CSV table of all heavy atoms in Angstrom, one decimal:
chain,number,residue,atom,x,y,z
A,452,LEU,N,8.1,16.1,15.7
A,452,LEU,CA,8.3,15.1,16.7
A,452,LEU,C,9.6,15.2,17.4
A,452,LEU,O,10.7,15.1,16.7
A,452,LEU,CB,8.1,13.7,16.1
A,452,LEU,CG,6.7,13.5,15.4
A,452,LEU,CD1,6.7,12.1,14.8
A,452,LEU,CD2,5.6,13.7,16.4
A,453,LYS,N,9.6,15.3,18.7
A,453,LYS,CA,10.9,15.5,19.4
A,453,LYS,C,11.1,14.4,20.5
A,453,LYS,O,12.2,14.3,21.0
A,453,LYS,CB,10.9,16.8,20.1
A,453,LYS,CG,10.8,18.0,19.2
A,453,LYS,CD,10.8,19.3,19.9
A,453,LYS,CE,10.7,20.5,18.9
A,453,LYS,NZ,10.7,21.8,19.6
A,454,THR,N,10.0,13.6,20.8
A,454,THR,CA,10.1,12.6,21.8
A,454,THR,C,9.8,11.2,21.3
A,454,THR,O,9.1,11.1,20.3
A,454,THR,CB,9.2,12.9,23.0
A,454,THR,OG1,7.8,12.9,22.5
A,454,THR,CG2,9.4,14.3,23.6
A,455,PRO,N,10.3,10.1,21.9
A,455,PRO,CA,10.0,8.8,21.5
A,455,PRO,C,8.5,8.5,21.5
A,455,PRO,O,8.0,7.8,20.7
A,455,PRO,CB,10.8,7.9,22.4
A,455,PRO,CG,11.9,8.7,22.9
A,455,PRO,CD,11.4,10.1,23.0
A,456,VAL,N,7.8,9.1,22.5
A,456,VAL,CA,6.3,8.9,22.6
A,456,VAL,C,5.6,9.4,21.4
A,456,VAL,O,4.7,8.8,20.8
A,456,VAL,CB,5.8,9.5,23.9
A,456,VAL,CG1,4.3,9.3,24.0
A,456,VAL,CG2,6.5,8.8,25.1
A,457,GLY,N,6.0,10.6,21.0
A,457,GLY,CA,5.4,11.2,19.8
A,457,GLY,C,5.6,10.4,18.6
A,457,GLY,O,4.7,10.2,17.7
A,458,ARG,N,6.8,9.9,18.4
A,458,ARG,CA,7.2,9.1,17.2
A,458,ARG,C,6.3,7.7,17.3
A,458,ARG,O,5.8,7.3,16.3
A,458,ARG,CB,8.6,8.7,17.2
A,458,ARG,CG,9.5,9.9,16.8
A,458,ARG,CD,10.9,9.5,16.5
A,458,ARG,NE,11.7,9.3,17.7
A,458,ARG,CZ,12.3,10.2,18.4
A,458,ARG,NH1,12.4,11.4,18.0
A,458,ARG,NH2,13.0,9.8,19.5
A,459,GLY,N,6.2,7.2,18.5
A,459,GLY,CA,5.4,5.9,18.6
A,459,GLY,C,3.9,6.2,18.2
A,459,GLY,O,3.2,5.4,17.5
A,460,ARG,N,3.4,7.3,18.6
A,460,ARG,CA,2.0,7.7,18.3
A,460,ARG,C,1.8,7.9,16.8
A,460,ARG,O,0.8,7.5,16.2
A,460,ARG,CB,1.5,8.9,19.1
A,460,ARG,CG,1.4,8.7,20.5
A,460,ARG,CD,1.2,10.0,21.3
A,460,ARG,NE,1.0,9.7,22.8
A,460,ARG,CZ,1.0,10.7,23.7
A,460,ARG,NH1,1.3,12.0,23.3
A,460,ARG,NH2,0.8,10.4,25.0
A,461,ALA,N,2.8,8.6,16.2
A,461,ALA,CA,2.8,8.8,14.7
A,461,ALA,C,2.8,7.5,14.0
A,461,ALA,O,2.2,7.3,13.0
A,461,ALA,CB,3.9,9.7,14.3
A,462,TRP,N,3.7,6.5,14.5
A,462,TRP,CA,3.8,5.2,13.9
A,462,TRP,C,2.5,4.5,13.9
A,462,TRP,O,2.1,3.8,12.9
A,462,TRP,CB,4.8,4.4,14.6
A,462,TRP,CG,5.3,3.2,13.9
A,462,TRP,CD1,6.3,3.0,13.0
A,462,TRP,CD2,4.6,1.9,14.0
A,462,TRP,NE1,6.3,1.7,12.6
A,462,TRP,CE2,5.3,1.0,13.2
A,462,TRP,CE3,3.5,1.4,14.7
A,462,TRP,CZ2,5.0,-0.4,13.0
A,462,TRP,CZ3,3.2,0.1,14.6
A,462,TRP,CH2,3.9,-0.8,13.7
A,463,LEU,N,1.8,4.5,15.0
A,463,LEU,CA,0.4,3.8,15.1
A,463,LEU,C,-0.6,4.4,14.0
A,463,LEU,O,-1.3,3.7,13.4
A,463,LEU,CB,-0.1,4.0,16.5
A,463,LEU,CG,0.6,3.1,17.6
A,463,LEU,CD1,0.0,3.5,18.9
A,463,LEU,CD2,0.5,1.7,17.3
A,464,ARG,N,-0.5,5.7,13.9
A,464,ARG,CA,-1.5,6.4,12.9
A,464,ARG,C,-1.1,6.0,11.5
A,464,ARG,O,-2.0,5.8,10.7
A,464,ARG,CB,-1.4,7.9,13.2
A,464,ARG,CG,-2.2,8.3,14.4
A,464,ARG,CD,-1.8,9.7,14.9
A,464,ARG,NE,-2.6,10.1,16.0
A,464,ARG,CZ,-2.5,9.7,17.3
A,464,ARG,NH1,-1.6,8.8,17.6
A,464,ARG,NH2,-3.3,10.2,18.2
A,465,LEU,N,0.1,6.0,11.2
A,465,LEU,CA,0.5,5.7,9.8
A,465,LEU,C,0.2,4.2,9.5
A,465,LEU,O,-0.2,3.9,8.4
A,465,LEU,CB,2.0,6.0,9.6
A,465,LEU,CG,2.4,7.4,9.6
A,465,LEU,CD1,3.9,7.6,9.4
A,465,LEU,CD2,1.7,8.2,8.4
A,466,ALA,N,0.4,3.3,10.4
A,466,ALA,CA,0.1,1.9,10.2
A,466,ALA,C,-1.4,1.7,10.1
A,466,ALA,O,-1.8,0.8,9.2
A,466,ALA,CB,0.6,1.1,11.4
A,467,LEU,N,-2.2,2.4,10.8
A,467,LEU,CA,-3.6,2.3,10.6
A,467,LEU,C,-4.1,2.8,9.2
A,467,LEU,O,-4.9,2.2,8.6
A,467,LEU,CB,-4.4,3.0,11.7
A,467,LEU,CG,-5.9,2.9,11.7
A,467,LEU,CD1,-6.4,1.5,11.9
A,467,LEU,CD2,-6.5,3.9,12.7
A,468,MET,N,-3.4,3.9,8.8
A,468,MET,CA,-3.7,4.4,7.4
A,468,MET,C,-3.4,3.4,6.4
A,468,MET,O,-4.1,3.3,5.4
A,468,MET,CB,-3.0,5.7,7.2
A,468,MET,CG,-3.5,6.9,8.0
A,468,MET,SD,-2.5,8.4,7.8
A,468,MET,CE,-2.6,8.6,6.0
A,469,GLN,N,-2.3,2.7,6.5
A,469,GLN,CA,-1.9,1.7,5.6
A,469,GLN,C,-2.7,0.3,5.7
A,469,GLN,O,-2.6,-0.5,4.9
A,469,GLN,CB,-0.4,1.3,5.8
A,469,GLN,CG,0.6,2.2,5.1
A,469,GLN,CD,2.0,1.7,5.1
A,469,GLN,OE1,2.2,0.6,5.6
A,469,GLN,NE2,2.8,2.4,4.4
A,470,LYS,N,-3.5,0.2,6.7
A,470,LYS,CA,-4.3,-1.0,7.0
A,470,LYS,C,-3.4,-2.2,7.2
A,470,LYS,O,-3.7,-3.3,6.8
A,470,LYS,CB,-5.3,-1.2,5.9
A,470,LYS,CG,-6.3,-0.1,5.7
A,470,LYS,CD,-7.4,-0.5,4.7
A,470,LYS,CE,-8.3,0.6,4.5
A,470,LYS,NZ,-9.4,0.4,3.5
A,471,LYS,N,-2.2,-1.9,7.9
A,471,LYS,CA,-1.3,-3.0,8.2
A,471,LYS,C,-1.0,-3.1,9.7
A,471,LYS,O,0.0,-3.8,10.0
A,471,LYS,CB,0.1,-2.6,7.4
A,471,LYS,CG,0.0,-2.6,5.9
A,471,LYS,CD,0.0,-4.0,5.4
A,471,LYS,CE,0.0,-4.0,3.9
A,471,LYS,NZ,0.1,-5.4,3.3
A,472,LEU,N,-1.8,-2.5,10.5
A,472,LEU,CA,-1.5,-2.4,11.9
A,472,LEU,C,-1.6,-3.9,12.5
A,472,LEU,O,-0.7,-4.3,13.3
A,472,LEU,CB,-2.5,-1.5,12.6
A,472,LEU,CG,-2.3,-1.3,14.1
A,472,LEU,CD1,-0.9,-0.9,14.5
A,472,LEU,CD2,-3.3,-0.4,14.7
A,473,SER,N,-2.6,-4.6,12.1
A,473,SER,CA,-2.7,-6.0,12.6
A,473,SER,C,-1.6,-6.9,12.2
A,473,SER,O,-1.0,-7.6,12.9
A,473,SER,CB,-4.0,-6.6,12.1
A,473,SER,OG,-4.2,-7.9,12.5
A,474,GLU,N,-1.1,-6.7,10.9
A,474,GLU,CA,0.0,-7.6,10.4
A,474,GLU,C,1.2,-7.2,11.1
A,474,GLU,O,2.0,-8.1,11.5
A,474,GLU,CB,0.1,-7.3,8.9
A,474,GLU,CG,1.3,-8.0,8.2
A,474,GLU,CD,1.4,-7.7,6.8
A,474,GLU,OE1,0.5,-7.1,6.2
A,474,GLU,OE2,2.4,-8.0,6.2
A,475,TYR,N,1.5,-6.0,11.4
A,475,TYR,CA,2.7,-5.5,12.1
A,475,TYR,C,2.7,-6.0,13.5
A,475,TYR,O,3.8,-6.5,14.0
A,475,TYR,CB,2.9,-4.0,12.0
A,475,TYR,CG,3.1,-3.5,10.6
A,475,TYR,CD1,2.9,-2.2,10.3
A,475,TYR,CD2,3.5,-4.3,9.6
A,475,TYR,CE1,3.0,-1.7,9.0
A,475,TYR,CE2,3.7,-3.8,8.3
A,475,TYR,CZ,3.5,-2.5,8.0
A,475,TYR,OH,3.6,-2.0,6.7
A,476,MET,N,1.6,-5.9,14.2
A,476,MET,CA,1.5,-6.3,15.6
A,476,MET,C,1.7,-7.8,15.7
A,476,MET,O,2.3,-8.3,16.6
A,476,MET,CB,0.2,-5.9,16.2
A,476,MET,CG,0.0,-4.4,16.3
A,476,MET,SD,1.3,-3.6,17.3
A,476,MET,CE,0.9,-4.3,18.9
A,477,LYS,N,1.1,-8.6,14.8
A,477,LYS,CA,1.3,-10.1,14.8
A,477,LYS,C,2.7,-10.4,14.6
A,477,LYS,O,3.3,-11.3,15.3
A,477,LYS,CB,0.4,-10.7,13.7
A,477,LYS,CG,-1.0,-10.7,14.0
A,477,LYS,CD,-1.8,-11.4,12.9
A,477,LYS,CE,-3.3,-11.5,13.2
A,477,LYS,NZ,-4.1,-12.1,12.2
A,478,ALA,N,3.4,-9.8,13.6
A,478,ALA,CA,4.9,-10.1,13.4
A,478,ALA,C,5.7,-9.8,14.6
A,478,ALA,O,6.6,-10.4,15.0
A,478,ALA,CB,5.3,-9.3,12.2
A,479,LEU,N,5.3,-8.6,15.4
A,479,LEU,CA,6.1,-8.3,16.5
A,479,LEU,C,5.8,-9.2,17.7
A,479,LEU,O,6.7,-9.6,18.4
A,479,LEU,CB,5.7,-6.8,17.0
A,479,LEU,CG,6.5,-6.2,18.1
A,479,LEU,CD1,7.9,-6.0,17.7
A,479,LEU,CD2,5.9,-4.8,18.4
A,480,ILE,N,4.6,-9.6,17.9
A,480,ILE,CA,4.2,-10.5,19.0
A,480,ILE,C,4.8,-11.9,18.8
A,480,ILE,O,5.2,-12.6,19.8
A,480,ILE,CB,2.7,-10.6,19.2
A,480,ILE,CG1,2.2,-9.2,19.8
A,480,ILE,CG2,2.3,-11.7,20.1
A,480,ILE,CD1,0.7,-9.1,19.8
Side-chain angles (χ1 to χ4, degrees):
L452 300 179
K453 299 179 181 179
T454 63
V456 175
R458 286 191 286 271
R460 291 168 177 171
W462 191 94
L463 290 175
R464 285 158 173 78
L465 291 176
L467 183 64
M468 286 174 61
Q469 278 193 355
K470 299 185 179 181
K471 297 283 187 178
L472 183 57
S473 174
E474 179 181 347
Y475 295 159
M476 293 301 294
K477 285 181 180 178
L479 188 61
I480 288 173

